[in-house]
Amino acid sequence: MGFWDKAFEVAKNAGTAVYNELEKSANETREIRQKYEDLSDEELLKIVHSDGFFGKSSKEKAIAFGTLKNRGYDVEDIKARKN
């Protein structure tokens, strides 16, 4: 196998790995979004404002925040309703 063949193979493998990670992340986001659609506004507010070691991830907080915005909340209202 020549240099360019090997270089192409390495690039292809790297591209496949990146694609797989992006797909995994997109699926995870989709699953969280579907789960959060069924939660109440109060539960979503708890997620948005969770802190500390047992707090939710930034991805989960962003999805909960977006769900609340889709339900008609504005940014200031979400921030003001900290539990």
Side-chain angles (χ1 to χ4, degrees), residues 34-49:
Q34 288 173 346
K35 176 182 168 186
Y36 283 9
E37 286 294 326
D38 295 334
L39 297 180
S40 70
D41 293 353
E42 291 301 318
E43 291 171 309
L44 292 171
L45 286 165
K46 285 180 185 177
I47 292 169
V48 168
H49 296 296

Side-chain angles (χ1 to χ4, degrees), residues 11-22:
K12 185 175 93 172
N13 290 342
T16 301
V18 169
Y19 173 80
N20 289 339
E21 283 301 313
L22 288 172

Side-chain angles (χ1 to χ4, degrees), residues 3 5 9 14 25-26 28 31 33 38 40-41 44 46 49 52 56 58 60 68 77:
F3 172 77
D5 292 332
E9 189 69 27
S25 179
E28 179 185 359
E31 288 172 9
R33 185 172 288 125
D38 295 334
S40 70
D41 293 353
L44 292 171
K46 285 180 185 177
H49 296 296
K56 299 293 185 175
S58 59
E60 292 171 300
L68 287 167
D77 193 29

